[in-house]
């Protein structure tokens, strides 16, 4: 597959010889003109993908190597070097986004092509404004009717927008911190949060209006631009994770030193006095906002990755079809139990944070309490996911075998991010098995917790993946649509450039779609009553009942995952405190494992929350 | 997509109530029978994939957590625990392979379905016996004509078979080592190499005859079996890497202690005397065989992964079409330069190993020599890959846009395994940038080497990926075949069970294919002369010239990658010796980076060698 790159390699023109009568120079001329034609031809898509992927990867690795050097706290590599590098990347991304949006403005007259499955309902959280839309996965949104204009955007809550807002607050705190210590810290620490704030605002705007674009012009250039954005956000995520982990470890060391267990040096404070009275408030509050900043960047990274995968893609029109959304009656047990789980989690968090810092006995009691809570919570979640899987075995919805990059990415992210938690759990199991006499009393409950954690993730992943791959049985639907197809496009004129339905006459489109949706709903309800079931009358209500069960299960799991995100995000990490694994693996190895596993686990929980939200809407 | 699992969930039968006249028990009966039917239905493929993937991943993580505990050298977790775990996994795999092969024997009468792209020419290295076959990627082999019978297998050299053989020699050494120290070391250390040897022999036999099978019966069960095999080999790879890295680091520490730079404890020898006179010979020789053992396991793992991906797959018959192989004239410059590169690499290796263990000055000289050699080598490789890319830009071969799991896996493995080397290089760049006064003289050449290493891998990856995705222009070929398609299978009766053409009457098939090949060749040469080129007569020979250039480039790169594999595999690792990165990153972080990056780099070089071999055959 070749593409229009817009980057013509013209340099060989200068070698074209002047007019000459000799046959050798004629042959040369022909060779060079053939070469010129070949080199100015379209650039193969696979090459462009590989090249841009390698560029982005190397950007990330440069940043990671600077971070590794920073972790050593040596005199040569300082925080400002890393921040300067990241600032430069953000500025490049800003410039690219600006160019992209200016070009889009100029090409407004063109009819756009959009991937209905890209983006996320997290951007536009208001379901009533999208009543014709059906959601598939966290990374896709079948928004054909863009009733949300720029003004409406201000009204939309949106999960991602909320995360971005908290990120902006964090930047404000950083600026405040810099103002307090500006006499003795580098100016980069003041420039960075300003650029980051600008970057956040521009990026959210970009995501609102352009995340679903399927780019068909200047593909090679745009590939580089988008992949640059992906890896810039990934690097910002890494930076957030590293800073947060370092802060947590410093607190840990400070606590151990106060308790007299160790005498480990902690991070150095700036060596000048704060010129305002709120420096400590800024520096403390900053770290409560880190989890949101971290999740914001990883989500944006994933969404931009889908956009990168979409470049040059030929969409199947059928895949962009909307489905009527359904109401959700009978939701009682799920939300109630979910709220109960959330309330108990917050209680456990508060009690844990208070008691873990006191004496050895209260620390052990706090850790035991956490593990008991964890065992109960995880058992319930396993049961709920298992029940959901059972419903799917009984229900006869067909599987959706079509190809969908964002759904595939969802699945891979879910399974990939489980790895950290699984490794951590198996290490705990090994530590319990290796524990000798004198080991704490909570080791068996720790073993049960670790095994349940592995099981719960496995069963939940299965449930989510099956939910994402199930289709609703739509009676007036034809054969299974092939979303991914290399067959010639249907009888619709091919699009050129970048397309954005946001500039169409929205009312006209929505009116047309409304009519179609009403007709479909009527047809659906007609067909539904026409189906003669082979069993008794009682089973006529079974499909609705099963959906009700699934919705309750989904919302319960949703709340549980939110709870299990809150706990480690805000400091409840007994893996650091229980001492079992530290004894078996050593401080260095165990903290490395946790520094990798805990951010992955946080991402897993947030991604599960988003996935379960989409499953809920789908059911 | 659902599948025939053969695992019927029958447990609900016992809940079927006896005959009862009440309507509620009738309704219950109906509900249970419906449930039973639903649960004994075919199991969704996506679920089976997810479940088996999670199973395999957790197996690996259990092993990794035991290895991490082992690295601590604590009293609780010892080497025999790890080896016992791995032995158990190998035994389970042996049992599964045995059951599989027995079942295949019984189903010999069925016509098999085989993936022509699975497997590798490394298994059957003799090109003359497969003159009707065309190779695509290292992980695929269009073997339609299985002239190689069980007797012939003994004759075939095969790269993978060679690696397996060296692995068997290694097991023999381990057994010898155990015999010498059997009075004071665990019996597990004697059982493990015996089981490993059996496992290796059975596995190679399995790969010879079954790697191309497309399993269509008992899919869920076989998925677990195959993924178990994948992750068992991956765990064996990890174990090999860890043992080899530990041995290398011990040598390093011993050398530093002898030179007086450090006083670090090294690994403990067994505390009894050797009962034979060759213990030290066994333990030393063992480590020269580790690189081959490591590569054997990672290759087998990748091949079995392709087999796992193929389970339940519907193959496009067109993709299994053979192509006539071509001869390779005009190969002179490439092999010559390649041999020169290989000879110089071996010289550098020997000189380096001799001089690095002497004084500080000779160590610095050895490191400088290595970097100079590296700069020259990598520049030549960059130039060669770049020239190859230029030829592709000029050449008009179309891109192969079809889907091919093994080719995709090749590409992903290539790009994924480059990460380690890139991280290591960027860390070196950061270290050079952070180096202060008094840093060694070779730091600038180290900088050039690191940057060239990044560039060389990028360009080589592009070249290999483009080569794999290019198709030869075959004049009598129809439209581009869609290899991956969810459309109904063509008018060929679907296969059932497992299929293996190896049991067909080979001569009959080969005769039929021979005739077809001769006809195709004739048609090809006819069409070729019929093409009227728009340019002068001289360009009629250009396609052959370009192929000649590409072949020379490929063989040169092949030899260079072999050289760059040999160097670190046999101990030439200046990243440990130059001291720059150690100063910037600290011992712990830097050795962790190297312990991850060096094995990945070794795999990258070996995989590139295999890929370039296939590119050579394709061109």
């Amino acid at each position: 597959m070749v593409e229009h790159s817009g980057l013509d390699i013209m340099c060989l023109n200068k070698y074209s010889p002047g007019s000459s009568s000799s046959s050798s120079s004629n042959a040369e001329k022909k060779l060079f003109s053939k070469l010129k034609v070949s080199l100015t031809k379209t650039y193969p898509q696979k090459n462009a993908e590989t090249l841009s992927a390698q560029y982005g990867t190397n950007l990330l690795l440069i940043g990671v190597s600077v971070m590794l050097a920073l972790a050593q706290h040596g005199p040569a590599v300082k925080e400002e070097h890393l921040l300067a590098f990241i600032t430069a990347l953000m500025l490049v991304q800003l410039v690219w986004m600006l160019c992209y949006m200016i070009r889009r403005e100029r090409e407004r007259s063109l009819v756009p092509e959009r991937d209905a499955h890209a983006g996320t309902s997290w951007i536009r959280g208001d379901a009533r404004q999208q009543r014709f839309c059906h959601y598939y996965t966290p990374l896709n949104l079948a928004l054909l009717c863009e009733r949300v204009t720029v003004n409406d955007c201000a009204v939309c809550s949106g999960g991602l927008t909320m995360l971005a807002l908290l990120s902006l607050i964090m930047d404000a705190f950083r600026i405040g911190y810099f103002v307090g210590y500006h006499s003795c810290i580098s100016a980069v620490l003041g420039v960075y949060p300003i650029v980051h704030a600008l970057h956040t605002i521009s990026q959210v705007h970009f995501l609102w209006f352009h995340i679903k674009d399927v780019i068909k012009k200047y593909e090679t250039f745009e590939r580089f631009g988008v992949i640059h954005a992906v890896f810039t956000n990934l690097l910002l995520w890494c930076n957030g994770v590293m800073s947060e982990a370092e802060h947590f470890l410093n607190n840990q060391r400070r606590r151990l030193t106060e308790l007299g267990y160790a005498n480990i040096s902690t991070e150095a404070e700036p060596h000048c006095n704060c010129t305002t009275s709120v420096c400590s408030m800024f520096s403390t509050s900053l770290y409560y906002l880190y989890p949101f900043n971290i999740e914001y960047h990883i989500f944006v990274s994933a969404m931009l990755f889908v956009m990168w995968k979409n470049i040059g893609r030929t969409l199947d029109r059928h895949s962009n079809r909307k489905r009527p959304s359904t109401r959700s009656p009978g939701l009682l047990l799920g939300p109630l139990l979910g709220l109960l789980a959330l309330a108990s989690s917050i209680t456990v968090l508060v009690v844990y944070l208070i008691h873990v810092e006191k004496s050895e006995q209260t620390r052990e009691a706090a850790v035991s309490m956490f593990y008991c809570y964890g065992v109960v919570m995880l058992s319930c979640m396993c049961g709920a996911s298992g029940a959901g899987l059972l419903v799917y075995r009984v229900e006869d919805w067909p599987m959706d075998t079509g190809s969908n990059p964002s759904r595939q990415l969802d699945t891979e992210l879910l399974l990939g991010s489980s790895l950290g938690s699984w490794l951590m759990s198996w290490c705990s199991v090994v530590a319990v098995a290796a524990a000798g006499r004198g080991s704490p009393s909570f080791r068996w409950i720790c073993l049960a917790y670790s095994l349940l954690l592995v099981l719960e993730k496995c069963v939940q992943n299965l449930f989510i993946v099956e939910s994402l791959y199930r289709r609703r049985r739509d009676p007036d639907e034809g054969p299974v649509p092939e979303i991914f197809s290399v067959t010639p496009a249907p009888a619709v004129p091919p699009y050129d450039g970048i397309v954005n339905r946001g500039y169409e006459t929205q009312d006209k489109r929505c009116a047309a779609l409304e009519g179609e949706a009403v007709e479909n709903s009527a047809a659906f309800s007609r067909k539904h009553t026409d189906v003669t079931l082979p069993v008794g009358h009682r089973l006529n209500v079974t499909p609705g009942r099963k959906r009700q069960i699934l919705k309750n299960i989904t919302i319960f799991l949703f709340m549980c995952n939110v709870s299990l995100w809150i706990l480690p995000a805000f400091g409840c990490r007994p893996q650091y405190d229980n001492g079992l694994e530290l004894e078996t693996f050593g401080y260095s190895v165990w903290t490395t494992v946790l520094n990798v596993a805990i951010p992955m686990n946080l991402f897993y929980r947030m991604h599960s929350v988003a996935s379960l939200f989409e499953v809920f809407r789908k059911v």
Side-chain angles (χ1 to χ4, degrees), chain A:
Chain A
M1 203 180 292
V2 292
E3 56 183 37
H4 296 274
S5 65
L7 291 175
D8 294 339
I9 303 170
M10 302 303 291
C11 59
L12 280 168
N13 276 337
K14 64 179 184 180
Y15 291 113
S16 305
S19 59
S20 161
S21 52
S22 68
S23 60
S24 61
S25 53
N26 275 342
E28 275 177 24
K29 251 188 188 173
K30 283 170 188 162
L31 180 63
F32 280 128
S33 56
K34 186 164 150 67
L35 203 65
K36 190 183 88 176
V37 164
S38 303
L39 289 171
T40 55
K41 224 164 38 180
T42 50
Y43 195 59
Q45 178 172 330
K46 195 67 195 172
N47 281 32
E49 280 178 12
T50 309
L51 201 53
S52 57
Q54 290 186 140
Y55 161 73
T57 308
N58 277 286
L59 265 189
L60 177 69
L61 291 174
I62 295 171
V64 167
S65 51
V66 176
M67 278 180 216
L68 287 174
L70 198 59
Q72 183 66 3
H73 297 292
V77 181
K78 295 192 172 62
E79 194 186 2
E80 39 264 34
H81 299 127
L82 176 65
L83 295 182
F85 176 67
I86 298 176
T87 305
L89 294 185
M90 286 195 286
L91 288 170
V92 169
Q93 187 188 339
L94 271 168
V95 166
W96 169 74
M97 286 194 295
L98 198 67
C99 294
Y100 183 92
M101 290 189 280
I102 288 171
R103 201 169 63 245
R104 286 294 312 281
E105 275 295 316
R106 289 182 188 165
E107 289 165 2
R108 286 180 74 159
S109 53
L110 289 172
V111 182
E113 184 167 356
R114 307 210 81 190
D115 176 12
H117 301 282
T120 168
S121 55
W122 282 75
I123 295 178
R124 307 174 197 277
D126 190 350
R128 281 168 300 181
Q129 284 185 335
Q130 296 105 31
R131 61 182 181 274
F132 302 116
C133 306
H134 184 80
Y135 304 98
Y136 289 98
T137 79
L139 295 178
N140 72 62
L141 177 61
L143 263 187
L144 295 182
C145 175
E146 290 199 51
R147 288 176 168 240
V148 181
T149 60
V150 175
N151 291 333
D152 288 341
C153 281
V155 181
C156 297
S157 52
L160 201 71
T161 316
M162 180 198 77
L163 291 174
L165 211 67
L166 290 165
S167 199
L168 286 173
I169 294 170
M170 200 175 149
D171 287 327
F173 284 1
R174 278 202 187 107
I175 294 169
Y177 182 84
F178 171 75
V179 164
Y181 287 111
H182 70 273
S183 54
C184 61
I185 57 177
S186 170
V188 176
L189 273 75
V191 170
Y192 171 79
I194 296 168
V195 174
H196 186 263
L198 283 170
H199 175 265
T200 303
I201 295 165
S202 318
Q203 194 163 248
V204 170
H205 179 266
F206 182 85
L207 291 170
W208 272 341
F209 292 107
H210 302 289
I211 193 61
K212 288 189 294 298
D213 291 349
V214 176
I215 299 168
K216 298 263 184 162
K217 208 170 173 180
Y218 304 111
E219 282 175 26
T220 305
F221 176 70
E222 300 297 359
R223 266 200 184 88
F224 277 87
V226 179
I227 209 73
H228 179 98
V230 171
F231 281 96
T232 300
N233 279 280
L234 214 50
L235 198 55
L236 284 160
W237 173 76
C238 287
N239 185 36
V241 162
M242 192 190 76
S243 306
E244 200 269 342
E246 204 177 317
H247 172 78
F248 183 87
L249 277 175
N250 275 324
N251 275 350
Q252 197 74 359
R253 285 184 208 129
R254 195 178 297 127
R255 186 153 36 90
L256 288 173
T257 311
E258 283 168 8
L259 285 173
Y261 291 118
N263 191 9
I264 315 167
S265 59
T266 58
E267 67 185 5
E269 293 291 325
H271 49 82
C272 55
N273 292 325
C274 180
T275 57
T276 66
S277 56
V278 287
C279 281
S280 63
M281 190 269 282
F282 283 146
S283 65
T284 316
S285 316
L286 203 69
Y287 289 101
Y288 288 105
L289 294 171
Y290 257 117
F292 305 105
N293 175 253
I294 286 166
E295 297 310 322
Y296 161 71
H297 281 299
I298 195 72
F299 266 125
V300 168
S301 191
M303 287 162 64
L304 288 166
F305 183 74
V306 174
M307 188 181 183
W308 178 78
K309 292 286 271 182
N310 273 339
I311 295 174
R313 191 174 150 218
T314 305
L315 293 181
D316 179 1
R317 303 289 287 147
H318 196 89
S319 71
N320 281 341
R321 200 173 124 180
K322 48 111 194 80
R323 294 169 193 274
S325 70
T326 53
R327 301 186 64 184
S328 310
L331 282 185
L332 183 66
L333 194 63
L336 267 181
L337 291 176
L339 283 169
L340 181 66
L342 185 62
S344 58
S345 303
I346 293 170
T347 312
V348 164
L349 173 68
V350 170
V351 171
Y352 184 90
L353 290 177
I354 291 170
H355 286 85
V356 81
E357 302 216 355
K358 291 180 178 172
S359 64
E360 173 80 24
Q361 290 80 19
T362 55
R363 186 174 64 84
E364 277 197 31
V367 170
S368 300
M369 173 202 68
F370 174 87
Y371 284 135
C372 292
Y373 150 85
V375 163
V376 170
M377 177 78 122
L378 293 171
S379 308
C380 294
M381 288 172 76
C382 282
S385 304
L389 285 171
L390 212 66
V391 169
Y392 279 126
R393 299 304 297 129
V394 171
E395 184 53 71
D396 204 19
W397 293 341
M399 299 294 281
D400 181 359
T401 55
S403 172
N404 182 340
S406 57
R407 181 175 60 188
Q408 192 182 339
L409 181 66
D410 278 337
T411 310
E412 286 168 1
L413 285 177
L414 215 60
L415 294 177
S417 56
S418 308
L419 291 178
S421 191
W422 285 336
L423 177 63
M424 197 170 69
S425 300
W426 288 119
C427 285
S428 296
V429 169
V430 167
V432 169
R437 295 182 190 181
S439 49
S441 54
F442 51 69
R443 65 186 184 281
W444 300 115
I445 192 93
C446 173
L447 177 71
Y449 171 81
S450 304
L451 292 172
L452 269 172
L453 193 59
V454 172
L455 183 67
E456 180 267 326
K457 279 196 157 76
C458 289
V459 183
Q460 183 171 277
N461 289 346
L462 269 176
F463 173 67
I464 293 173
V465 166
E466 177 143 21
S467 307
L468 295 179
Y469 278 84
R470 288 274 177 185
R471 284 191 305 118
R472 284 185 59 179
R473 180 176 292 174
D474 199 340
D476 57 355
E477 191 179 298
V480 176
E482 273 197 43
I483 296 168
F484 178 69
S485 172
V486 195
T487 50
V492 173
Y495 294 137
D496 188 25
I498 311 149
V499 177
N500 184 353
R501 286 212 177 91
Y503 295 111
E504 293 177 17
T505 313
Q506 291 175 352
D507 297 328
K508 186 169 73 171
R509 286 191 61 83
C510 291
L513 288 167
E514 271 194 55
E516 201 185 328
V518 165
E519 186 188 310
N520 277 344
S521 308
F524 180 78
S525 44
R526 263 201 319 272
K527 285 272 173 77
H528 189 68
T529 51
D530 283 349
V531 168
T532 49
L533 296 169
V535 289
H537 172 73
R538 195 171 303 177
L539 288 172
N540 272 345
V541 303
T542 310
R545 185 74 159 187
K546 286 176 202 147
R547 272 199 294 275
Q548 194 182 348
I549 293 170
L550 281 173
K551 277 186 177 287
N552 276 291
I553 286 171
T554 310
I555 204 150
F556 170 68
L557 288 173
F558 178 95
M559 305 293 278
C560 288
N561 277 279
V562 168
S563 312
L564 292 178
W565 177 84
I566 286 173
L567 283 163
F570 292 99
C572 182
R573 301 178 191 180
Q575 299 87 0
Y576 283 101
D577 299 317
N578 66 16
L580 272 172
E581 297 91 349
L582 276 171
E583 198 182 311
T584 310
F585 296 98
Y587 183 81
S588 172
V589 168
W590 187 233
T591 46
T592 308
V593 168
L594 289 182
N595 285 344
V596 170
I598 286 176
M600 284 176 83
N601 185 41
L602 289 172
F603 175 68
Y604 172 83
R605 291 298 172 197
M606 193 53 77
H607 194 66
S608 302
V609 160
S611 305
L612 287 162
F613 180 73
E614 297 299 340
V615 167
F616 177 79
R617 298 188 72 91
K618 188 177 181 183
V619 170

